[in-house]
Amino acid sequence: MKPFMDSEFLLNTKAARRLFHDYAEAMPICDYHCHLSPQEIYENRQPENIAQLWLSGDHYKWRAMRSAGVEERYCTGDAAPKEKFIKFAETLQYCIGNPLYHWAHLELQRYFGIDTPLNAKTAEAVYERANRAIAEGDFRPQTLIARSHVKVVCTTDDPVDTLEYHRLLQEEKAFDCQVLPSFRPDKALNIQLDGFVDYIHALEKAADCRIETVADVIAALEKRADYFHTVGCRIADQAFDYVPYRPAEPEKLNKIFRKAIKGEKPDQKDADRYRTAVMLALGKKYAALGWTMEIHIGAMRNNNTAMFRALGADTGFDSVGDCAIAAPLSRFLDALNTEGCLPKTILFNLNDKDNTVLATMLGNFQSSETAGKLQYGPAWWFLDTMDGMTAQLKSLGNLGVLGKFVGMETDSRSFTSYARHEYFRRILCRLLGEWVEEGMVDDDEEVLREIVQGICYHNAMKYFNFE
């Protein structure tokens, strides 16, 4: 029997161990999509305890705890930090097969020097050891980022954001990491959701303009994109259940918009008409700026109405959607490509039924302007598992050019979640190692080194023009 999560964890062949330890393990990190707070990075405060570091805002952990029958007060409520941690530890021992089980133990090992398995029996001792490490060490955000060898962090930012903390961080000469904004216009796109009218007023203020038509919305967003560009933004991110494509004439669009501003909810077709117009304009703007367009597809959000009313969004009540995505995505990409305005694009799916759809969609719109202009984004959220990542890598390997893949991002709000990159790299080397051992891939050290280090770091840095 193999030891529990030792240095050879997941590395099941000699080739996998060589690829990981020689080429992947020490590579820096380009975290091109995350939800870290630039304010928290700038303020750089030491956490009080591991419960604060681990459980504040982590809906992955809350979701698991609820599934284990833990009361809400231990997740988002007023229970003491130690009580919350112990409830999480009691949950974790039952989470075999869940990446949380591996992530938590990797984080304990890498950041706290604790290799004791976390469970109900060890919870109190681990809690005390971890808190002692925090009290005696440096667990501030900037230090954790530096310890993780992260060279670029791209946060997720609303177009109305002032980006003041990004500007302040750019003046921190001693911090060897670029913290860059990403443009996330979801609130301007979601015309059918509550809060749209208030958001349009906020966008008016941020862009210093009147918004009375869809063209005005687009102009305001373009103005904010120009501002984001001056602060180093090179990525825009949009989230959809499916990518809309339903073109309409300006008169029709403005009629839909005027009704929405009066508080009338558009039906799905009209919402898609509006979103199509805005997204096509934004795609052209991204191309003009030289940005990359990320599109996250397939999340079904805020399923539990009662808990949404109590806790709000991003608290652990989302799941995977099952919409048909191929046809509208194809038409959307083709519309931009036909006008010569398709930006570099990364497509992420949340339902693994769509692996082949996205992996084959890429090849329709590639270009010599850059290797892998259209990328198949890494497995994320509910697919951010050993099976999910392996399936994504195999799909891209089967149907695309795996060696030009831009690799992993954290998609996280936690400063210790960079262990997820190690998890990904071990899974990558496990898969490649199996292919080498089975004679499916030439055991050419120079080529394998380039592929592994490219996927781990270099491809992303080159793709986003961060080098």
Side-chain angles (χ1 to χ4, degrees):
M1 182 174 65
K2 294 181 178 179
F4 174 68
M5 291 188 65
D6 67 354
S7 62
E8 310 306 335
F9 172 56
L10 294 180
L11 307 176
N12 60 337
T13 64
K14 183 178 178 180
R17 292 188 285 273
R18 184 179 81 243
L19 293 175
F20 178 74
H21 293 304
D22 291 354
Y23 304 137
E25 188 172 18
M27 292 299 292
I29 290 173
C30 174
D31 192 17
Y32 59 86
H33 174 74
C34 74
H35 297 277
L36 294 177
S37 163
Q39 181 176 351
E40 290 181 9
I41 297 173
Y42 175 74
E43 293 176 347
N44 203 30
R45 294 175 181 167
Q46 178 85 343
E48 297 176 7
N49 52 63
I50 189 174
Q52 182 187 73
L53 186 65
W54 266 19
L55 296 170
S56 298
D58 193 334
H59 55 81
Y60 286 85
K61 294 185 177 74
W62 298 342
R63 189 178 177 96
M65 292 165 72
R66 293 175 189 130
S67 296
V70 173
E71 294 178 38
E72 190 63 30
R73 64 182 295 264
Y74 297 104
C75 301
T76 60
D78 59 358
K82 184 175 182 178
E83 292 178 318
K84 291 184 176 183
F85 183 84
I86 289 174
K87 288 295 184 182
F88 172 66
E90 292 172 351
T91 296
L92 190 66
Q93 71 184 33
Y94 299 109
C95 286
I96 55 174
N98 190 313
L100 269 177
Y101 188 84
H102 293 147
W103 294 343
H105 287 103
L106 284 173
E107 291 178 34
L108 285 174
Q109 293 175 10
R110 301 296 174 262
Y111 297 101
F112 297 92
I114 297 173
D115 57 11
T116 302
L118 181 59
N119 54 46
K121 292 181 291 186
T122 64
E124 289 202 34
V126 169
Y127 185 76
E128 297 304 326
R129 285 183 63 187
N131 286 345
R132 187 162 58 250
I134 291 173
E136 296 174 356
D138 187 348
F139 281 74
R140 293 175 299 170
Q142 292 184 23
T143 302
L144 291 174
I145 289 171
R147 283 178 60 187
S148 304
H149 306 295
V150 184
K151 296 302 181 182
V152 180
V153 168
C154 295
T155 60
T156 305
D157 307 278
D158 193 281
V160 305
D161 199 301
T162 64
L163 305 183
E164 59 181 306
Y165 292 102
H166 291 88
R167 290 191 173 279
L168 290 169
L169 281 164
Q170 290 171 3
E171 299 173 5
E172 297 259 319
K173 303 304 181 185
F175 182 39
D176 184 26
C177 177
Q178 296 183 72
V179 180
L180 305 175
S182 295
F183 191 78
R184 180 79 174 236
D186 287 5
K187 290 181 180 178
L189 290 163
N190 292 330
I191 191 172
Q192 77 279 26
L193 296 185
D194 293 338
F196 177 76
V197 176
D198 291 339
Y199 183 77
I200 292 299
H201 293 323
L203 182 60
E204 283 182 319
K205 183 177 179 181
D208 191 24
C209 65
R210 288 292 302 275
I211 297 178
E212 297 177 339
T213 66
V214 175
D216 294 338
V217 175
I218 292 167
L221 289 171
E222 290 177 336
K223 187 175 181 179
R224 296 305 295 166
D226 287 332
Y227 170 67
F228 269 54
H229 193 77
T230 67
V231 190
C233 178
R234 297 297 181 267
I235 298 172
D237 181 43
Q238 290 75 208
F240 297 105
D241 43 3
Y242 57 89
V243 176
Y245 189 73
R246 192 177 287 272
E249 295 297 320
E251 183 179 348
K252 173 69 172 177
L253 293 171
N254 288 330
K255 183 178 180 181
I256 294 167
F257 182 72
R258 286 192 295 270
K259 286 184 177 180
I261 289 297
K262 293 178 181 177
E264 298 181 33
K265 294 285 181 70
D267 62 24
Q268 194 61 51
K269 290 181 179 180
D270 279 348
D272 282 352
R273 290 183 177 102
Y274 167 82
R275 296 194 299 170
T276 298
V278 176
M279 272 305 303
L280 286 172
L282 287 177
K284 294 174 185 178
K285 182 65 176 179
Y286 302 156
L289 291 171
W291 287 9
T292 295
M293 176 171 64
E294 295 179 348
I295 303 180
H296 286 79
I297 305 168
M300 190 173 181
R301 301 175 188 273
N302 306 319
N303 294 273
N304 188 324
T305 301
M307 294 305 289
F308 175 71
R309 289 171 178 167
L311 301 175
D314 301 321
T315 52
F317 300 96
D318 306 319
S319 59
V320 174
D322 61 355
C323 295
I325 69 169
L329 174 61
S330 171
R331 294 305 87 210
F332 170 71
L333 296 174
D334 188 57
L336 291 172
N337 189 66
T338 298
E339 295 190 40
C341 298
L342 178 62
K344 290 185 290 186
T345 300
I346 305 180
L347 303 174
F348 300 76
N349 62 293
L350 195 54
N351 191 326
D352 54 5
K353 75 175 179 61
D354 299 318
N355 283 7
T356 303
V357 171
L358 291 201
T360 57
M361 189 66 69
L362 310 178
N364 297 327
F365 302 104
Q366 299 291 13
S367 167
S368 61
E369 63 193 271
T370 186
K373 177 179 177 178
L374 264 70
Q375 288 276 334
Y376 182 16
W380 64 295
W381 203 345
F382 296 112
L383 297 182
D384 193 3
T385 65
M386 184 165 66
D387 290 342
M389 285 188 273
T390 301
Q392 187 270 350
L393 290 167
K394 285 185 175 181
S395 290
L396 183 54
N398 286 336
L399 301 164
V401 182
L402 179 57
K404 295 299 183 179
F405 176 37
V406 293
M408 183 63 171
E409 30 83 305
T410 58
D411 191 34
S412 174
R413 293 167 174 80
S414 170
F415 291 103
T416 58
S417 63
Y418 288 107
R420 297 183 190 181
H421 279 261
E422 178 182 340
Y423 194 50
F424 167 81
R425 291 172 180 184
R426 287 178 178 273
I427 291 167
L428 171 68
C429 292
R430 176 188 179 99
L431 178 62
L432 297 184
E434 288 174 354
W435 289 351
V436 170
E437 296 279 355
E438 292 171 7
M440 297 170 60
V441 170
D442 181 24
D443 192 11
D444 184 316
E445 286 295 304
E446 184 178 353
V447 173
L448 289 171
R449 178 176 65 249
E450 180 186 355
I451 289 173
V452 169
Q453 294 185 341
I455 293 172
C456 290
Y457 179 69
H458 291 306
N459 291 351
M461 293 294 287
K462 184 177 181 180
Y463 183 80
F464 297 110
N465 298 318
F466 291 153
E467 289 184 324

